[in-house]
Amino acid sequence: MNKLEAAKVLNISGNITQEEVKTAYRKACMRIFIILMTVLSVSAHAGYKGVLITSLDQIDEVHHFSNSYAYAPISIDDLRDVLNRNDRRMTSIIEIGRFFFNGEKGVFEYSDTSELKDLLRSSHSIAMLDEPFWWIRSACQSGKSAACYEIKSGYINTINLVKRIKFELGVQLYHVESYFELVIQKSENPDKPVIMIDSADHIGFDCYGRFDDCGGYHQMVYASWIYEAMRSHQKIFLVPGAFNFADESIVLDQLYAYESLHNQYPDLISGFGAFMWGDGYGLIGAKSMPFVKQAVENILKGLK
C-alpha cells in the first residue's frame, strides 16, 4: 500500500507517515475481510465443536457437550488407547506432527504411514498439524541449518511432504499455525499471503489475547490474513483460548467473540475447538477455571 492509497483509507490529506501507512493497511485488511465474510455468510451447520483434552479420562467428561475432541498422542500406543476410549462417540482430531518431525534436524521427514493410516481411517478421525512452521522456525532459531533452509524455501518441502502424507492417510487434514509465525511472515512480506498448508481441509484461527488487540493487531486483521491465504476447498476452524493466558475476564471475552464469529459466518467456518479442557503444557485448562468451564460447556451446547 502506497501513501496515496493509505491517505484514502484514513481519509486524510497532506503528508502521511509510514506508521499511518501501516495503520491504513490494517484497516483495509479488516474492511475487506468483513465485506467478504458478509457476502459469503449463509445459514449452515458449521460442523465440529469440542475441546482439546490432555488425558484419556477427559473423553468421558466432554462428550456430553462436544461432537469432537482434539488430542496430541505421544506414541502410536497412546493414540490407540484414546481412540478405544472414545469408541466413536466423537470425531477424533489427532495431532500427527510428532510422528514425522526430526528433532535433530528441525524439519519434517517422511516415515511409514501404514500404522497411523489404519488407526485414523478405522476411527474416521481427522489428522491435525499443530504449528508445524513454528516448530521449524524454533529449530532454526536454535541453530539447526536444515530448518533455516526450509524457511528460506517458503516451507516447500514441508508442504509437499504433507500433501503426500495426507494422500496416504486418506483422511481430512487440519492445519493450525502459530500466530507468531504468521506475524513474522507478514512483517517480512507484507504484500504476500501468509503461507499455509494448501492440502489442508481446515485452517485454524487462534490468537490468545484481547480480541481487539492480540499481539498488536485486531484479531479480525489476523483473520483476514488467513482468509487471503485460503484455497477454495478450505474452511476456518476457530480455536479460542480456554486457559489461563490472561485474566479470566479476557478469556471469557475471547470465547464469546469467537462464538459470535461462528454464528455470523457459518459458511466459512467448519468448527469451534477450545484450547484447552484439562491442565497441561504448564497451563491451567478450562476445567480448573469454574467460569471458563461453564462458558465452554454452554457455548458448545448452544452451537448449531
Side-chain angles (χ1 to χ4, degrees):
M1 175 177 287
N2 60 38
K3 291 189 175 183
L4 178 60
E5 293 169 334
K8 290 180 180 178
V9 170
L10 294 175
N11 194 27
I12 60 177
S13 58
N15 293 330
I16 183 169
T17 67
Q18 191 60 39
E19 186 60 35
E20 287 173 324
V21 172
K22 293 179 181 179
T23 300
Y25 172 76
R26 295 175 187 177
K27 287 188 175 183
C29 284
M30 189 183 305
R31 289 177 187 175
I32 292 169
F33 180 67
I34 291 173
I35 290 170
L36 287 169
M37 292 188 83
T38 302
V39 170
L40 292 172
S41 177
V42 298
S43 178
H45 177 66
Y48 307 104
K49 57 180 184 177
V51 293
L52 180 138
I53 63 171
T54 54
S55 64
L56 274 59
D57 58 293
Q58 293 167 22
I59 290 275
D60 304 318
E61 300 172 5
V62 306
H63 78 90
H64 67 282
F65 58 82
S66 305
N67 66 15
S68 62
Y69 72 95
Y71 186 66
I74 60 174
S75 65
I76 287 292
D77 287 339
D78 189 27
L79 171 57
R80 185 178 293 107
D81 288 344
V82 77
L83 295 177
N84 289 338
R85 182 69 173 255
N86 180 48
D87 195 24
R88 296 196 183 186
R89 285 180 285 178
M90 299 176 286
T91 298
S92 302
I93 301 176
I94 303 299
E95 208 292 310
I96 64 169
R98 68 193 62 244
F99 297 113
F100 301 96
F101 191 68
N102 184 325
E104 293 185 1
K105 296 180 180 179
V107 294
F108 291 87
E109 294 182 337
Y110 180 80
S111 63
D112 182 72
T113 62
S114 56
E115 200 168 12
L116 188 60
K117 175 184 68 177
D118 291 342
L119 288 170
L120 296 180
R121 282 190 182 182
S122 63
S123 59
H124 304 291
S125 298
I126 295 174
M128 175 173 68
L129 285 170
D130 184 18
E131 304 185 349
F133 298 157
W134 186 248
W135 287 25
I136 296 170
R137 189 174 295 275
S138 297
C140 173
Q141 291 171 348
S142 66
K144 299 183 187 301
S145 59
C148 297
Y149 288 134
E150 181 63 3
I151 294 172
K152 290 179 181 178
S153 77
Y155 299 105
I156 189 63
N157 295 315
T158 305
I159 291 169
N160 289 337
L161 173 64
V162 171
K163 188 177 296 185
R164 176 184 177 184
I165 291 170
K166 184 194 175 187
F167 177 78
E168 292 187 7
L169 294 178
V171 298
Q172 290 186 66
L173 179 66
Y174 165 34
H175 173 205
V176 57
E177 193 48 66
S178 164
Y179 168 79
F180 299 108
E181 167 66 25
L182 300 188
V183 168
I184 291 171
Q185 287 189 28
K186 207 63 180 176
S187 65
E188 292 178 347
N189 297 287
D191 297 325
K192 294 182 179 180
V194 294
I195 302 169
M196 304 296 289
I197 300 291
D198 56 12
S199 57
D201 303 283
H202 312 273
I203 299 296
F205 168 46
D206 67 335
C207 184
Y208 306 131
R210 294 183 182 277
F211 195 74
D212 61 351
D213 185 1
C214 189
Y217 295 89
H218 194 293
Q219 291 202 37
M220 291 297 279
V221 172
Y222 173 48
S224 74
W225 297 348
I226 293 175
Y227 185 84
E228 180 186 31
M230 284 170 57
R231 303 303 177 97
S232 60
H233 68 280
Q234 295 175 326
K235 290 192 175 184
I236 294 173
F237 205 112
L238 300 175
V239 188
F243 64 99
N244 62 326
F245 65 83
D247 291 341
E248 198 162 321
S249 61
I250 296 176
V251 178
L252 291 169
D253 285 346
Q254 190 191 63
L255 281 166
Y256 293 130
Y258 276 49
E259 177 190 26
S260 179
L261 284 178
H262 173 281
N263 293 335
Q264 290 180 65
Y265 311 115
D267 194 48
L268 284 175
I269 294 170
S270 60
F272 184 106
F275 179 89
M276 57 190 192
W277 182 249
D279 299 348
Y281 314 108
L283 306 171
I284 298 173
K287 66 175 289 186
S288 299
M289 305 170 68
F291 292 109
V292 174
K293 176 178 181 289
Q294 191 61 58
V296 168
E297 292 188 30
N298 290 342
I299 289 171
L300 291 178
K301 286 177 180 176
L303 294 181
K304 304 298 183 183

